[in-house]
Amino acid sequence: MKVIKHSFDGVIVGAGGAGLRAAIEAAPHMKLAVITKLYPTRSHTGAAQGGMSAALANVEEDNWNWHAFDTVKGSDYLADQPAVDILCKEAIDAVIELEHWGLPFSRLDNGKIAQRRFGGHTVKEGTSPAFRACYAADRTGHMILQTLYQKCVSMGVTFFDEFQVLDIKIEDGICQGVVAYELATGDIHIFETRAVTFATGGFGKIFKVSSNAHSLTGDGPGILYQKGIPLEDMEFYQFHPTGIYRLGILLSEAARGEGGILRNKDGERFMERYAPSIKDLAPRDMVSRAIATEISSGNGAGPDSDYVYLDLTHLGAETIKKKLPDITDFVRTYVKIEPIEEPIPVQPTAHYAMGGIPTDVNSRVLSDEKGTVLPGVYAAGEAACVSVHGANRLGTNSLLDIVVFGKRAGQSMVDYVTQTKPNQLSDNASNDLTKKITNLIEKEHTNEFSVAKIRKDLQDSMEENAKIFRTKETLEKQTEILEELRERYENVTIYDKGKVHNSELVEAIELDYLLDMSEATVSSALARNESRGAHSRQDYPHRDDTNFMKHSFAFKNDNSANLKYRDVELGKYEPMERKY
Amino acid sequence: MAYQKIVSTGSVYKGKTGMWLYVFHRVTGVGLFGYLLLHIISTALILLGPEIYEGAEAVYKNFYFRVAEIGLMAAVLGHAINGLRIITVDLWSKGSDYQKQLNFVSLFIFLVIFIPTTYKMTTSYFDLCLQKSSSGTTIVDCLIRPIPDWK
Amino acid sequence: MQTTRTDWGRRQPPIGGSSFELQAWFFMRVSGLVLVFLAVWHMFIMHVFNDTLNLDYEFVAARWETPYWRAFDWLLLALSLLHGTNGLRVVIHDNIADKTIKKLAHSALYGTSLIFFLIGTYAIVAFVRQV
Amino acid sequence: MDVSIKILRYDPESDRKGHWENYIVDAEPEERILDLLHKIKWFEDGSLSFRKSCAHGVCGSDAMVINGENMLACQVLVKEVGNSLKIEPIRGLPVVKDLIVDMEPFFDSYKKVMPYLINEKEPGDRERLQSPEDRDRFEDTTKCILCAACTTSCPVFWTAESYVGPAAIVNAHRFVFDSRDEGSKQRLEILKDVNGAFRCRTAFNCTSACPRGIQVTKAIEDIKRETLLNN
Ligand SMILES: Cc1cc2nc3c(=O)[nH]c(=O)nc-3n(C[C@H](O)[C@H](O)[C@H](O)COP(=O)(O)OP(=O)(O)OC[C@H]3O[C@@H](n4cnc5c(N)ncnc54)[C@H](O)[C@@H]3O)c2cc1C
Ligand code: HEM
Ligand code: SF4
Ligand code: F3S
Ligand code: FES
C-alpha cells in the first residue's frame, strides 16, 4: 500500500456547513487542508430545508433572549445555558455574515431577510409562535452549503475531496495528525498537523428509517471514541415527526410553520390534545411522541395503522409553490400523490444526534467529564456536543450551531497554531490503519459475515428497541444484540479486494463506528432512569431533576460504555415543567 | 498511482427532439456546404460557353437527380426553418419556455411549404419530360432513364 | 483528488477577452435571417417558379443582364460561404481534439472557402454573354 | 417482481475496456433504482461501485445513464422505468470505475466562472436589501446541486470536453442575475471564450436531464443575450 505524507498547520475533517465555516475562519492564517469523504457540496447540510433561526426581528418584535429561552426550554433544561446564550446572540451576526457572502435568502417586501415560524420558537417566552427562522424557500441548508463552499473557492482553500479520515494520532495527550484513505486509489495519506477539527456530521444510519444520508456513519466521534475520548449525551437522539412513510425522507417543520396540520386516521387534529397552545408547532420530541402514541392507540392510518397524515391541502397551491417547492416535489416523486390535494402519509424518522464529541464553547474537544481540554483537537456541527441542544434540539438551531461553532472551531485552531510550533509525525503513523485494511483484504469472503447483513441487523434492532419509546427491557435486549453483532463484526469480510473506489471496504470500517455509536447510545439510555426531551423511558415517564440534571459521558469499554456525568451549567432560566 | 481511465462507450443517448434537431441542423448544414461548393463549380462553368455549361447541366436531367433536388429543398427548408427556430429561442427571452411549441410550429411550417413544393417539383418533372420528349414516351421512361429525346 | 487554487482566483479578473465567438454567433443569426430570403428565394425561383429542367445558358445569361441579379447572386454566394465556413469551423472545433490536426483542418477549410469565393465572384463579375 | 439490470462495468485493475454485466434483482415497484443497486452491491456483488449519499435527490452524487437518459438513481422508481434496465456511467467524463467518473474536469469548469458573490463595497452591519422580484430573477439557478447530469447529457460536451458545459453556465447565471453582485462583467467575459456559452447549440438535453427541474437552456440563453447586450 502506497503511503504519502503531507504537512499542514491545520486540518479540517468534513466539508459540511461546520467544516467549511471553520475553514473560512482558519484558512487565511495557516496552511490548511480540508479533507472530506464526499465532494463538499454533497454533504448532508445540503439536505436541510426549513431555516436557520436568529432574532433579526424583521417580521415582528424579537430578541435573542427569547430565542435563548426557547432553546433552553426546548432542550428540556439540559442545555448549558452559557453556551445557548452564545448561540442565540451570535446567531444574528452569523445570518448577516452569510447574507454578505451571497446567501440568497428569501425576502420580505421591504427587501429584508424573510422569516417564518418553526416548532418551539415563541415570542415573549412562550406567548405565541415566533417568526424567527430565516430561510431560502425550503432549501436553506442547500444554500448555506453552497454559499460556504463558494466562499472557500473564492479564498482558494485546499481541499482533499473523496479522502476519508480513518485515524487520528495523539501522542502524550497532544494531537499529531490524522491518517486518511484516498477513495480513488486506495493510497494512504498521513497528514502531519497540530490542529484537527472534526466536523463529520451525524450518525443517523444506526436506525433503519432515517432522514440521514448513507454517509452519516459517525466517523469523527467513532475515531475519537476508539482513542478513549468520551461521547456526551448519547442517549438523546431526535426523531423528526414528519418523515415520508417508510422512506424517512424529511418533510421540514416549515410545512407546519406555514400552517400544515397533523391528522390521525379520523382526520382529527390530534396535536390539540397534546400541546393546546402551539399545537402542531410543539417541539419535535413532543410531536414525535404524540404520533407514536396515536399509532400505538390504534389511531394510525393505513392498512397497518402505522402512519398519520400531514395535511397541506388548505394552504393553497401558491404558498406551496413559493415556500415549500422541494418537499412537495419529494412527495410527488416518492409517494406519487399531489400534496396540494391530498394529505401526506408520515411517520417519525431518525433525524439528529444531540450528543457527540464533547466540546467547550470554543469548540475545543474535552477528554473527560471534568472538562480537560485535548490540545489541538476541535469539533463542531452535528458531530459535536457543546451542549446547546440539551435533550432535544429545536428546529433551525442546528444550521445555526454549525456556523456559530464552526467559526469558533476555526478561531481556536488559529489561536492554537499561532502559539505552537510545527510538529513531526513518524512515517509509521499509518501502521494501524494499514493493518486494519490488509486484514480486511486478506480475509476470505463469506456471505454470512458480510457488512450489509450485520448493518441491517443493527439498524433493524435499533429501530425496534431504542427508538422513540424505550424501557429497561428493550434496552437490555438491545445491549445483548449489540454484543452479538460486535462478535460478528470481529469476523466481518468483504468481497471487493480492489484498490480503486472500494466502497465495500470503507463501509466495513464505517460499520465499526456505527456499532460504537449504538453501544454508546444504548448504554447511556439504559443508565438514564428518567424521561427528558428526546429520551423517553416508559418505565420512568417523568423528568428527574434531582438525579439527572447532568450530561452523560460515555467512555468506550469493550461492548458497552462506562458512564460518567457532569452537571448541567444553569443560567437565568430555572427548570420548569415543559408545557406548550 | 494513476489508473487507466476509459471513455464510456454505451448505447445511444435517448435525447429528446432538441437533440435530434441539433443533429439534423448540423448534418444539413455540412451537407449544404458541400453542395454549395459543387454548385459554385458547375455555375462557374458558364464562363466556358454554352456547350460546356449545358453539357454539365444535362447530367442533372433525370429523375434520380430530381429526387436529390427534392432532398436539397428539404435540407434548405428544414435548415432554414429550424435556423429560424434557433434564432427565436436565442433572441426572444421567452423562447426557451416555448421550446416544445416552437418545435411543433417549425415542423408545421416546414410541411406546409415542403409538401406543395414537392408536389410541384414532381408533377412539373413529368409534365416537362412528356412535353419535351418525342411522342410515345411514357411516364415509366421518364422515371428510369435520363429524359429521353430531349428537344 | 486534491484541489488548490489554480487560475480561477478573484484577483486575476480575465478582462479584455476577445469577442470573436460572440460576433461569430451573432453573425450566424443575422446571415441566417438574410439567407432565408436569399437562399430560399433562390431555391424557389430555380425549382418551383421555374424548373431546373429548363435551366440553360440562356436562362442564366438573361438573368445576369441586370446588375440586380448579379448582386443578388453574389450576396448569396458570399453570405452562404461565410455562414457555412463559420458553421464548419465550429463543427471542426467540436469534433477534432488534437490541436495540430484541428489547425490543419481549419486552414484547409479557410483555404477552400477562399478559393471557391474567388471562383464564384469571378464568374459573376466576369461573365459576358457569348451568344 | 424481478427486475433485470444490465450494468456497464469497468475495473481499471483488470479490464482494458468496459463490459456489460447482467443481474436479476427482486424489487418492489416503489423502490428507487439506487435501492436496487444497493441490493446488488450488498447482497450479490460487493465490487460494484457507484457514488451515493443523501438518497433523495439533493446531494447530486448519483447521476448515471438509466435506459439511455441521465437521471439520479435515487430519484427514479422502478415503476417509472420498467423491469428491464440498462445502466451506464455518465458520458464525456473519464470513467474511473464502474459508474464512477472523474469529476475533476467538471468542478474545474465550475470554478472557472467565479461562482461566488463579488461585491467589494462595505455591506454594513445589517443585511443588504433585495426586493422579492430581484430575488426571483435568479431563483431557478440557485437550485443546482452540481450533479453533472446536464453537462454530461450535452452532445457538444461529449465531443468536446473543452466546453465549460451547462452546469458552469448555470452557476454563472446564479450570480450574474443577482442584484447584489458586481462581477458579472468578468463572468460574461469568461463565458465569451470559444469554450464558453456560445458553444451551446440549444440541444435542450441538459434541460430534460436536470433532476432539479432547472430551466438550464433558458439560463444559458439569458447569459448569451446578456453578453450580447453588454457588448
Ligand atoms: C433532511 C434534514 C433536514 C434538516 N433541516 C434542518 C433545518 O431546517 N434547520 C436546521 O437547523 N437543521 C436542519 N437539519 C440538521 C442539520 O442540517 C445538520 O445537523 C447539519 O447540517 C450538520 O452539518 P455538519 O457540518 O455537522 O455535517 P454534514 O453536513 O453532515 O457534513 C459532514 C461532512 O463530513 C465529511 N466526513 C464525514 N466523515 C468523514 C471522514 N471519515 N473523513 C472525511 N470526511 C468525512 C462528509 O464528507 C461531509 O462533508 C436537517 C437535517 C436533515 C438530515
Ligand atoms: C436558409 C437560411 C439559413 C438559415 C436561417 C440558417 C441558420 C443557421 C443558424 C441559426 C445556424 C446556427 C446554429 C446553431 O448555432 O445552433 C446555422 C448553422 C449552420 N449553417 Fe445555416 N442557415 C441557413 C442556410 C445555410 C446554408 C445555405 C448553409 C450552407 C452553406 C448553411 C450551413 C450551416 C452550417 C454548416 C452550420 C453549422 C451547424 C452547426 O454548428 O451545427 N446554412 N445556420
Ligand atoms: S443544472 Fe441541474 S443537472 Fe446541471 S448540475 Fe445543476 S442540478 Fe445537476
Ligand atoms: S444540451 Fe448542450 S447544447 Fe446547449 S442546450 Fe444544453 S448545453
Ligand atoms: S444520492 Fe444524493 S442525489 Fe442521489
CSV table of all heavy atoms in Angstrom, one decimal, chain A residues 61 214 271 447 544:
chain,number,residue,atom,x,y,z
A,61,GLU,N,-41.5,42.0,16.6
A,61,GLU,CA,-40.6,42.3,17.7
A,61,GLU,C,-39.9,40.9,18.1
A,61,GLU,O,-40.6,39.9,18.3
A,61,GLU,CB,-41.3,42.9,18.9
A,61,GLU,CG,-40.3,43.4,19.9
A,61,GLU,CD,-41.1,43.8,21.2
A,61,GLU,OE1,-42.3,43.8,21.2
A,61,GLU,OE2,-40.4,44.0,22.2
A,214,HIS,N,-26.6,8.2,3.5
A,214,HIS,CA,-25.8,6.9,3.7
A,214,HIS,C,-24.4,7.2,4.3
A,214,HIS,O,-23.8,6.3,4.9
A,214,HIS,CB,-25.7,6.2,2.4
A,214,HIS,CG,-26.9,5.6,1.9
A,214,HIS,ND1,-27.4,4.4,2.5
A,214,HIS,CD2,-27.8,5.9,0.9
A,214,HIS,CE1,-28.5,4.1,1.9
A,214,HIS,NE2,-28.8,4.9,0.9
A,271,MET,N,-52.9,17.1,17.7
A,271,MET,CA,-51.9,17.9,18.5
A,271,MET,C,-52.6,18.8,19.4
A,271,MET,O,-52.0,19.3,20.4
A,271,MET,CB,-51.0,18.6,17.6
A,271,MET,CG,-49.8,17.8,17.1
A,271,MET,SD,-49.0,16.8,18.3
A,271,MET,CE,-48.2,18.0,19.4
A,447,ASN,N,-20.5,-15.0,2.9
A,447,ASN,CA,-21.7,-14.2,2.9
A,447,ASN,C,-22.2,-14.0,4.3
A,447,ASN,O,-22.8,-12.9,4.6
A,447,ASN,CB,-22.8,-15.0,2.1
A,447,ASN,CG,-22.9,-14.4,0.7
A,447,ASN,OD1,-22.6,-13.2,0.5
A,447,ASN,ND2,-23.4,-15.1,-0.2
A,544,ASP,N,-36.5,13.8,36.0
A,544,ASP,CA,-35.9,13.7,37.4
A,544,ASP,C,-34.8,14.7,37.5
A,544,ASP,O,-33.6,14.3,37.3
A,544,ASP,CB,-35.5,12.3,37.6
A,544,ASP,CG,-34.9,12.0,39.0
A,544,ASP,OD1,-34.8,13.0,39.7
A,544,ASP,OD2,-34.5,10.9,39.3
